Amino acid sequence: MDLCEYLGYRGGNMTIYDSCYENINTFLQYVKDNVEYKVWFMGHYHVDRDILNHHILYNEIIQLTPWYLKK
């Protein structure tokens, strides 16, 4: 299960608007699966939550310091 499904979000098919739109969830899943990263920051879900090395920000503000990025 990808992170979008875990959070209960099943939308994201932009092709219903116009064929020039990419499915952003498919693209981001590809990046997640193929890029080595330490932390991933995201928004959109209207929650503040940490899930392993994924940080969902809504109201929370995080100062990105070298210490934080080493977590």
Side-chain angles (χ1 to χ4, degrees), residues 8-43:
Y9 183 72
R10 309 238 188 305
N13 182 2
M14 297 298 287
T15 59
I16 61 173
Y17 300 106
D18 191 328
S19 62
C20 70
Y21 287 98
E22 293 291 328
N23 186 330
I24 191 68
N25 293 336
T26 302
F27 170 73
L28 290 174
Q29 188 66 45
Y30 175 82
V31 172
K32 180 181 178 296
D33 294 340
N34 292 283
V35 173
E36 193 173 314
Y37 58 91
K38 293 182 182 179
V39 293
W40 185 301
F41 298 94
M42 65 190 87

Side-chain angles (χ1 to χ4, degrees), residues 49-62:
R49 188 170 298 156
D50 293 331
I51 304 170
L52 300 174
N53 61 336
H54 298 83
H55 305 281
I56 306 163
L57 304 174
Y58 183 57
N59 291 313
E60 186 176 3
I61 298 171
I62 294 175

Side-chain angles (χ1 to χ4, degrees), residues 2 23 30 68-69:
D2 68 19
N23 186 330
Y30 175 82
Y68 191 86
L69 295 175

